[in-house]
Amino acid sequence: MEMDPAMIRVREAERRFLQCFWWVFPATGLAGLMLTGGGFWAWVSGNRPWLDWHRLWSWRAVAICVCGGAIVALWKGFLWRRVAPWGPIALVLAGLACAECMVRWPTAQTAFWLTARSRGYLPEVCYIRLEEAAGRTAGEGAVVLVGSSQMVRGVDARLLAEILESRDVIRRVCSGMWAQSMLAMWGRIPFRKGDVCVQIRSAFDFTIGTEFDADWFRPLASPSGWSAVFRTAGGRISMKHWRRGVDYTLAAFSECWRMRDGAIAIGRSFWKGERKPPLPGGDGWTERELVWSDWQWRAFEEAAERLEDAGVAFLVFEGDVNPAMQTKGLQDKHGEFLKRMEAGERAGKWVFIPLEEQDAGIGDGDWLDMTHVNAAGREKLTRAMGRVVREKCMVERNAPLRGGAK
Amino acid sequence: MVFNSMVFLVFFAVVYAAYRALSYRGQNWLLLVASYVFYGWWDWRFAGLLLATSFFSWGSGLVIADCRRKGNERGAWWASFGNIALNLGILGFFKYWNFFVESFAALFGRVGLGLEPRLLGIVLPVGISFYTFQALSYSIDVYRGKLEPTRDWLDFFAFVAFFPQLVAGPIERASHLLPQIQRPRTVTREGVASGTWLAVWGLFKKVVVADNLAVLVDGAFGAEGASGAMGALAVYAFAMQIYCDFSGYSDIARGVARMMGFDLMENFRLPYFAKNPKEFWARWHISLSTWLKDYVYIPLGGNRRGARRQTANLFTTMLVGGLWHGAAWTFVAWGAFHGALLAVWHAWARGRKNDAGPGRWAWLRRVGMFHLVCVGWVFFRSGSFSEAWGVLARVATDWGWDIRAWNMLTAMVLLCWPLWAVQALQWATDDMESPRRLSLVPKAALLLVMALMFTWFGNTGGGAFIYFQF
């Protein structure tokens, strides 16, 4: 079958391009190779990259040039051939699969999240992803800190590790990590049998938060929590937010999709991120009607069940609120929160540590805003947490606390 | 409902499945219902305006034909005039009421007559300028005897409301689109393939290039403390943003229509490759520029009444074009600027031969023309004259280059390079669909790059198209 003239014109243009610029492909590969190593990591850190001439003549350089040349040969080989319509689609799918494998490679992960962090992308998310890329180094029976901004600002993991001495501390904390978010990123929390999961929870965690927060889920989503997130959200919420559901599903199963927010941050600040001021305290609280989120509670209970199945002890610290900013609505919900927490403890789902038992001694001067403590409060809270964790589960290193056992 | 949303994806999948299953008459019913659902998705109350515009234009066509048959030329004129007045009245009320009232109040204020402008809290119906012009072209063409009026209201109402191009064009002529609605369409594999390519390419231009450039432009255009270099980059970025936003919409519209067996007119043809203002307007928003030419410029006398009159006609036409874009003096200034460019170019080119040829300085002229267009975009993008002058003054005087400028330049290159590569190919082959005809390796590479850029940079938030506001 003959080609139509329009197609011949395009193929002729391709032929002319290859004739003039065939060398671009091996040369690009070579330049890319020369940038790997010091030059590339300099760029990752936000510095000017440089080309390393010493890398020019190496077997790897030759291999990359050959690969570049192979593209040219392949292009030339198929230039005048007719291919089935699915041919390019199959190649694209293969290319996407290759890209997905490449971005999952730990070195690529480390480079990507380090770059994203240095370009101003959410440091807490980057920290979690970098820790994950490094793999779990903690020993058996580690204390795994999981939680939202109260945990981010309220607990000093290094100090806690010093207090706990014989147990390693793993930190998987991020602002806005409500119960459903925790489920969404379940596969990224490296629980092992014998670990202790420590969380700070308060009525806030079950009364605020966006329904099905796909923007939060995206960089941290994991396939292991996927079905549980939809199950606990329920049919009505899942249907209402079906677009977010599609987004989350893509993120749960594709690393390329999880990287998109970081990629955008890098794309917009390719050479260097602008220095951002440190996070200010919360800007107060406006009184509004608080609605108890049953779906958040269901997600929390689901997480507790999963922890129990995994043989991980579960300690829930009651989160405090700045007494100067306490509101009537929040107090009402706090009553509901305490009731449910105590019922869960009686059922053996977790160990609940109320404020009196924590005895952290947080005073009026230890608050940053309504729910977050300042540096002094952070130290007090960490020491109190360390003491309680020691009391509850450090009696014997290899005999960790079971849920509900006081 | 916007093209770049999952809602539209579901909507189109359902409509397309039903469309393929129906006979041509059923397809027209489906198109009409689907188009009103599509339009009513924003605000169902405005569907009444669309209905009214369709009804008056359809009715006027019948009255004109009836008067003509009876030899009542005056009646035909009045029917045509009445329809134009009614449609422009609706457009004027919704789009220009506040603008003119404020402008008159300001004018009277200057001569010491303080007036309290009576402003109305009017929401501009989306796409009103597009479908009004489309409907007007029908009644004018019927009056001019270029088109037979249709008696079938279903066909006509489906023509005015045709959902792929309803809210942001291309502004189709009745003589081109209506016959396609009146007869059975053939959906071919080639049509589906090329339509899909157009829609995907348009979507890429919108959600990857335009939406990301929009963030860069918003952060740098007229921002406090931004250097002149940042200002210049913001203007370049806006030039690419508005092109990708609008041509992206047109491509999706044409692609979606083509998948259903319709052929919509080309709206953009590498406009930034133009060497002169005339060529630019033959490549940019072609459906509007030809509309203005046929229904404003030529009726004003075109180039038939001497050089001075032609200059005045060009200027007037472009002023109308500027005002069509939006109810603000900056749009009028943009139109005037292009009118002036056209007038100067016509004066310069008059008597010269072979201007359309490649010429020795062709690329330099292209670069020069692109920069002139960019100057126009400054007025188009600015909220006020002071903002526009501020940007131009900064660009001209302050060339401080810092890391933010490097970041912005790199981001622009990162986002735009596939677009530039495709445009280079389109230019080299003089074929807007050449990417579809590439051989296996470059075609797969292009699609892979597009897929990865969709994944990493694509805006999934369904950002509105710039031209919706017009």
Side-chain angles (χ1 to χ4, degrees):
Chain A
M1 201 163 69
E2 283 189 9
M3 278 187 184
D4 68 72
M7 197 170 266
I8 292 171
R9 229 177 13 249
V10 174
R11 301 297 164 92
E12 270 299 324
E14 286 181 50
R15 191 189 58 75
R16 286 196 304 274
F17 175 81
L18 279 175
Q19 208 168 20
C20 297
F21 298 108
W22 64 270
W23 52 269
V24 167
F25 296 88
T28 308
L30 199 66
L33 188 93
M34 287 159 69
L35 272 174
T36 58
F40 174 70
W41 291 105
W43 172 76
V44 165
S45 323
N47 297 314
R48 291 271 167 88
W50 66 88
L51 291 179
D52 184 355
W53 296 106
H54 300 293
R55 288 176 172 268
L56 186 57
W57 306 114
S58 67
W59 283 112
R60 259 203 287 181
V62 173
I64 286 279
C65 279
V66 169
C67 285
I71 293 175
V72 178
L74 207 64
W75 188 343
K76 274 192 170 174
F78 281 93
L79 186 57
W80 296 103
R81 265 191 224 177
R82 281 187 167 275
V83 288
W86 49 263
I89 307 290
L91 264 185
V92 169
L93 290 177
L96 285 175
C98 282
E100 181 70 21
C101 292
M102 277 173 64
V103 296
R104 284 171 187 248
W105 181 37
T107 309
Q109 282 283 304
T110 306
F112 179 80
W113 294 107
L114 274 176
T115 313
R117 191 173 65 175
S118 72
R119 304 307 192 268
Y121 183 62
L122 305 171
E124 292 158 15
V125 171
C126 296
Y127 177 85
I128 291 175
R129 298 307 310 267
L130 284 166
E131 284 277 291
E132 190 193 358
R136 175 171 164 150
T137 51
E140 296 295 313
V143 170
V144 186
L145 302 176
V146 177
S148 60
S149 58
Q150 278 194 312
M151 189 70 110
V152 173
R153 291 172 184 266
V155 182
D156 182 339
R158 204 170 294 172
L159 177 61
L160 188 66
E162 280 173 21
I163 296 166
L164 296 176
E165 291 172 1
S166 58
R167 285 194 187 237
D168 292 319
V169 175
I170 297 172
R171 201 166 168 267
R172 289 291 186 273
V173 295
C174 188
S175 300
M177 194 198 289
W178 321 122
Q180 199 185 36
S181 324
M182 177 177 62
L183 265 190
M185 61 167 290
W186 192 260
R188 310 203 181 280
I189 311 176
F191 290 123
R192 271 194 207 155
K193 191 173 179 183
D195 287 347
V196 183
C197 175
V198 177
Q199 300 193 13
I200 298 177
R201 294 290 174 201
S202 60
F204 269 121
D205 295 273
F206 303 98
T207 52
I208 57 174
T210 313
E211 284 184 352
F212 218 99
D213 195 355
D215 286 337
W216 195 100
F217 296 171
R218 199 177 304 116
L220 294 168
S222 79
S224 56
W226 179 74
S227 59
V229 166
F230 282 102
R231 197 173 52 247
T232 54
R236 191 186 60 80
I237 290 176
S238 300
M239 282 301 290
K240 183 177 163 193
H241 300 297
W242 65 274
R243 279 170 285 189
R244 295 182 192 178
V246 172
D247 190 331
Y248 167 56
T249 302
L250 284 168
F253 295 99
S254 161
E255 182 59 38
C256 282
W257 195 261
R258 286 193 285 274
M259 291 164 75
R260 55 186 268 115
D261 298 311
I264 289 171
I266 295 170
R268 286 183 191 156
S269 304
F270 190 81
W271 298 110
K272 204 170 195 174
E274 283 178 51
R275 198 177 289 274
K276 288 185 178 166
L279 282 175
D283 52 358
W285 172 260
T286 46
E287 182 69 77
R288 59 189 165 88
E289 193 190 352
L290 295 172
V291 181
W292 186 267
S293 308
D294 281 325
W295 46 279
Q296 289 283 17
W297 183 258
R298 281 198 298 272
F300 186 72
E301 288 193 312
E302 168 80 22
E305 275 174 36
R306 284 176 166 231
L307 288 172
E308 192 174 352
D309 292 345
V312 176
F314 190 11
L315 258 60
V316 185
F317 282 73
E318 180 186 350
D320 204 357
V321 174
N322 187 347
M325 300 172 85
Q326 183 67 275
T327 66
K328 172 81 172 61
L330 197 58
Q331 267 175 338
D332 291 347
K333 294 299 170 210
H334 198 67
E336 169 86 14
F337 166 75
L338 288 177
K339 208 168 69 186
R340 290 192 186 220
M341 277 294 165
E342 281 157 7
E345 184 173 30
R346 281 195 298 277
K349 293 177 180 172
W350 52 73
V351 177
F352 181 60
I353 320 289
L355 291 172
E356 311 83 65
E357 197 178 336
Q358 292 173 30
D359 194 21
I362 304 286
D364 289 347
D366 297 324
W367 289 97
L368 184 67
D369 54 29
M370 188 180 187
T371 49
H372 304 117
V373 287
N374 58 21
R378 178 184 174 91
E379 188 179 338
K380 287 180 185 173
L381 191 56
T382 307
R383 291 195 183 282
M385 182 177 277
R387 180 177 48 75
V388 172
V389 174
R390 277 174 79 102
E391 281 171 16
K392 296 284 178 189
C393 55
M394 294 293 285
V395 180
E396 204 178 309
R397 193 185 187 294
N398 292 320
L401 181 89
R402 297 297 312 137
K406 274 195 173 179
Chain B
M1 200 184 301
V2 286
F3 285 158
N4 50 329
S5 67
M6 277 197 262
V7 175
F8 179 75
L9 208 65
V10 174
F11 166 83
F12 184 63
V14 172
V15 169
Y16 194 62
Y19 183 86
R20 295 298 297 267
L22 290 168
S23 67
Y24 115 90
R25 197 66 190 160
Q27 286 176 343
N28 286 2
W29 274 105
L30 175 71
L31 284 177
L32 183 67
V33 173
S35 298
Y36 274 84
V37 170
F38 178 84
Y39 192 70
W41 204 265
W42 279 282
D43 192 332
W44 59 269
R45 288 169 302 178
F46 291 138
L49 279 180
L50 182 61
L51 206 64
T53 298
S54 305
F55 179 77
F56 291 133
S57 301
W58 175 68
S60 75
L62 292 181
V63 172
I64 291 166
D66 200 43
C67 290
R68 282 263 159 76
R69 204 170 44 249
K70 292 173 183 165
N72 182 2
E73 196 56 36
R74 181 175 280 266
W77 187 89
W78 274 109
S80 178
F81 175 79
N83 181 55
I84 293 170
L86 211 62
N87 276 309
L88 290 183
I90 294 173
L91 179 65
F93 176 74
F94 280 95
K95 192 164 178 174
Y96 301 107
W97 175 273
N98 286 348
F99 169 67
F100 281 121
V101 166
E102 277 181 320
S103 299
F104 277 121
L107 190 68
F108 283 119
R110 289 203 171 182
V111 293
L113 295 168
L115 294 178
E116 275 296 310
R118 190 190 170 93
L119 301 179
L120 302 175
I122 305 169
V123 178
L124 181 67
V126 69
I128 189 169
S129 309
F130 287 91
Y131 67 71
T132 301
F133 270 34
Q134 183 155 312
L136 281 180
S137 79
Y138 167 79
S139 67
I140 297 171
D141 281 355
V142 169
Y143 175 74
R144 287 174 173 177
K146 289 183 176 175
L147 192 69
E148 277 298 308
T150 176
R151 298 203 163 269
D152 191 327
W153 68 270
L154 171 64
D155 289 351
F156 185 78
F157 280 48
F159 153 71
V160 177
F162 188 51
F163 75 86
Q165 44 82 255
L166 171 61
V167 290
I171 304 167
E172 277 295 334
R173 305 297 175 79
S175 55
H176 183 236
L177 182 58
L178 194 54
Q180 297 183 57
I181 291 178
Q182 287 170 321
R183 61 168 187 258
R185 276 79 55 177
T186 316
V187 178
T188 60
R189 183 189 269 193
E190 172 68 13
V192 172
S194 66
T196 308
W197 158 253
L198 262 179
V200 169
W201 178 240
L203 202 63
F204 176 81
K205 285 198 279 190
K206 167 64 183 162
V207 304
V208 176
V209 187
D211 285 351
N212 280 294
L213 287 177
V215 179
L216 301 179
V217 174
D218 292 346
F221 196 93
E224 285 290 319
S227 65
M230 286 289 283
L233 288 172
V235 177
Y236 290 144
F238 181 68
M240 298 315 296
Q241 181 204 341
I242 194 163
Y243 167 70
C244 288
D245 192 285
F246 194 16
S247 74
Y249 185 93
S250 293
D251 284 350
I252 300 170
R254 292 178 67 220
V256 163
R258 197 176 287 183
M259 287 162 78
M260 295 192 290
F262 290 93
D263 175 42
L264 298 185
M265 72 180 293
E266 194 175 36
N267 216 12
F268 291 87
R269 198 174 176 85
L270 305 174
Y272 294 143
F273 282 68
K275 296 191 296 292
N276 57 58
K278 186 185 173 191
E279 194 184 347
F280 176 77
W281 282 103
R283 293 172 175 277
W284 178 274
H285 202 174
I286 299 166
S287 64
L288 176 70
S289 54
T290 51
W291 197 100
L292 290 172
K293 183 180 150 199
D294 290 349
Y295 300 108
V296 181
Y297 176 69
I298 290 174
L300 285 173
N303 61 358
R304 300 186 303 274
R305 296 182 190 172
R308 276 192 193 169
R309 185 64 188 267
Q310 185 191 9
T311 303
N313 292 341
L314 280 170
F315 204 75
T316 310
T317 306
M318 293 315 293
L319 277 183
V320 172
L323 202 57
W324 176 90
H325 278 82
W329 287 110
T330 47
F331 289 117
V332 177
W334 175 75
F337 176 73
H338 275 280
L341 286 183
L342 279 167
V344 169
W345 186 83
H346 273 281
W348 180 82
R350 208 166 282 133
R352 282 188 170 79
K353 286 181 184 174
N354 290 333
D355 186 74
R360 192 184 292 177
W361 300 100
W363 281 103
L364 205 60
R365 288 168 61 191
R366 284 190 183 105
V367 172
M369 186 61 217
F370 172 70
H371 281 84
L372 285 174
V373 171
C374 283
V375 172
W377 289 138
V378 174
F379 291 95
F380 194 96
R381 173 63 175 72
S382 299
S384 63
F385 284 115
S386 58
E387 188 185 352
W389 292 124
V391 170
L392 288 174
R394 251 200 348 262
V395 169
T397 56
D398 172 14
W399 274 93
W401 192 266
D402 57 11
I403 192 73
R404 287 196 305 160
W406 277 116
N407 278 340
M408 186 154 173
L409 179 65
T410 312
M412 279 172 64
V413 173
L414 268 177
L415 292 168
C416 294
W417 74 267
L419 174 82
W420 294 334
V422 164
Q423 291 203 330
L425 177 71
Q426 289 170 328
W427 175 254
T429 55
D430 193 24
D431 175 7
M432 295 305 285
E433 291 197 34
S434 51
R436 214 168 57 76
R437 304 185 218 281
L438 282 167
S439 64
L440 177 69
V441 174
K443 189 196 269 186
L446 174 65
L447 290 175
L448 181 61
V449 166
M450 284 169 66
L452 287 174
M453 287 184 74
F454 263 124
T455 308
W456 285 326
F457 303 119
N459 173 20
T460 54
F465 288 83
I466 293 175
Y467 266 67
F468 277 17
Q469 60 188 303
F470 306 140

